[in-house]
Amino acid sequence: MTQRLTRRHWMLLAGSGLLAACSGSSQKLVVQQGLMPPAWLRRLPRSWRADSIDWRQELPAWPSGSRCLALTDGWAMANQPIPAQAWPQDALDGLMPLAEPLLPFGLPVGFGPWLLVLRNRRDLVADGGAERGWSLLLDPSLRRQVVLPASARVVEDIASRIGDPKASLARLREQALGFGDRDALTLLLHGDAQAAVLPSRAVIPQLSRDIRLQALLPSSGAPLWWALLQLRAQGDVPPLEWLLDPRRSPLLDQLLRAGFTPPLQRPLLEAALARQPHAELLLPPAEVLQRCTSLMPLAPETAPRG
């Protein structure tokens, strides 16, 4: 004898997300590989699922059913955003002023500085290296031992913090073992490189595991990396509760341990930061943060030709 499902049963199924799963209508959050902390993605409701995509040189064809994208700032700015991204006001309240210029490209949900990372080179730091800041990368002992970012704009920003941008850029290239973000940490950990410039999200988790590593944020500031959520055409905003989860512990603490700092005003982060061993790298002191820069799109008149 078959038993009919009552209206109450259907409502329970809908609330659990089983109907969406059975109908194949679950909504997709497409994530740039390695960008979003798994602890946050696991909190997506059952009606949503996260698909991780690995791409390097160009934006991929987005999977069918993609509703929302999670991208780094460079890729988000290269993508064509929806003209008016309808983010809930609650998700915008409390954002730090630095995040506001990014809103035309998506909702900023994570950020941090690019860091200068050394392996087994405490001699450089002990010899006044910390005060030398980014110019430490030009130390003769690091020739062909530095892995620089693949992003030309990040390297150019660092060069401008060392001195004359053109001359400093030429000297940085002479120091470089290579350019790339994906293999830099591996080269550093295996001893094939002695220094690298890496985003804080790649560095912070390693500092507690490997005492050979030291990370420096020069007092002159640094370029910033950002993680943004970007809606697709006819895309749906992820549930508000999920968007606000990073504002509360224990998830906030988990994100900070992963090197992923929600871009919220300092008072909203202070309690959780006080529990972190590398708080000054997760949210730089105010005077240093003022010297950090977001790499916004070049204006037409300053964009390179050809």
Side-chain angles (χ1 to χ4, degrees):
M1 178 179 176
T2 58
Q3 183 176 357
R4 295 181 62 186
L5 291 175
T6 66
R7 181 173 179 272
R8 177 173 175 273
H9 288 139
W10 284 111
M11 291 179 67
L12 288 173
L13 286 171
S16 70
L18 288 175
L19 285 182
C22 293
S23 66
S25 63
S26 60
Q27 301 176 84
K28 294 179 185 176
L29 171 64
V30 177
V31 180
Q32 184 176 335
Q33 190 176 64
L35 176 61
M36 301 284 279
W40 190 15
L41 294 178
R42 285 194 293 268
R43 289 178 175 243
L44 276 169
R46 293 180 183 178
S47 57
W48 281 73
R49 77 171 190 264
D51 285 355
S52 178
I53 293 187
D54 180 14
W55 70 86
R56 305 194 181 203
Q57 301 300 326
E58 58 185 20
L59 289 165
W62 304 115
S64 174
S66 304
R67 301 289 186 169
C68 186
L69 313 173
L71 308 171
T72 54
D73 46 316
W75 286 115
M77 292 173 190
N79 200 23
Q80 293 297 320
I82 305 305
Q85 305 248 331
W87 300 104
Q89 185 59 45
D90 285 352
L92 302 175
D93 290 341
L95 286 179
M96 60 170 52
L98 268 178
E100 293 175 4
L102 281 295
L103 287 172
F105 307 100
L107 178 68
V109 294
F111 91 115
W114 287 78
L115 300 174
L116 194 168
V117 189
L118 298 170
R119 179 188 186 274
N120 280 342
R121 291 306 308 266
R122 297 186 183 277
D123 57 312
L124 285 179
V125 179
D127 192 23
E131 289 72 29
R132 292 163 61 189
W134 292 108
S135 63
L136 187 67
L137 293 170
L138 303 181
D139 191 272
S141 68
L142 293 178
R143 184 172 175 81
R144 298 284 185 249
Q145 289 293 313
V146 178
V147 184
L148 294 172
S151 168
R153 295 192 65 197
V154 172
V155 178
E156 290 166 1
D157 182 280
I158 292 170
S160 70
R161 296 174 188 275
I162 294 175
D164 176 77
K166 188 174 181 180
S168 299
L169 184 59
R171 295 182 65 191
L172 281 173
R173 287 172 174 161
E174 291 175 357
Q175 294 290 91
L177 172 68
F179 296 82
D181 307 338
R182 293 174 178 269
D183 300 324
L185 187 60
T186 300
L187 291 170
L188 203 61
L189 294 175
H190 290 177
D192 298 312
Q194 295 183 30
V197 177
L198 289 162
S200 56
R201 67 179 187 275
V203 178
I204 298 296
Q206 295 295 330
L207 294 178
S208 301
R209 303 171 190 161
D210 196 328
I211 61 173
R212 300 170 301 176
L213 299 182
Q214 286 181 289
L216 304 176
L217 174 59
S219 59
S220 62
L224 298 172
W225 63 267
W226 292 87
L228 294 100
L229 296 180
Q230 193 176 85
L231 295 180
R232 302 218 63 212
Q234 290 84 47
D236 296 323
V237 175
L240 179 61
E241 182 178 357
W242 183 78
L243 292 174
L244 298 181
D245 271 347
R247 302 182 179 218
R248 300 180 290 266
S249 293
L251 181 59
L252 176 55
D253 289 72
Q254 292 174 309
L255 298 186
L256 293 173
R257 286 195 296 271
F260 191 94
T261 304
L264 302 173
Q265 295 171 19
R266 194 175 295 269
L268 300 175
L269 296 171
E270 283 179 336
L273 284 169
R275 298 188 285 269
Q276 305 301 317
H278 306 290
E280 74 287 354
L281 303 179
L282 290 162
L283 182 62
E287 63 274 13
V288 176
L289 190 58
Q290 289 176 352
R291 303 185 193 111
C292 294
T293 50
S294 301
L295 300 180
M296 303 299 290
L298 294 173
E301 63 272 15
T302 61
R305 299 181 181 274

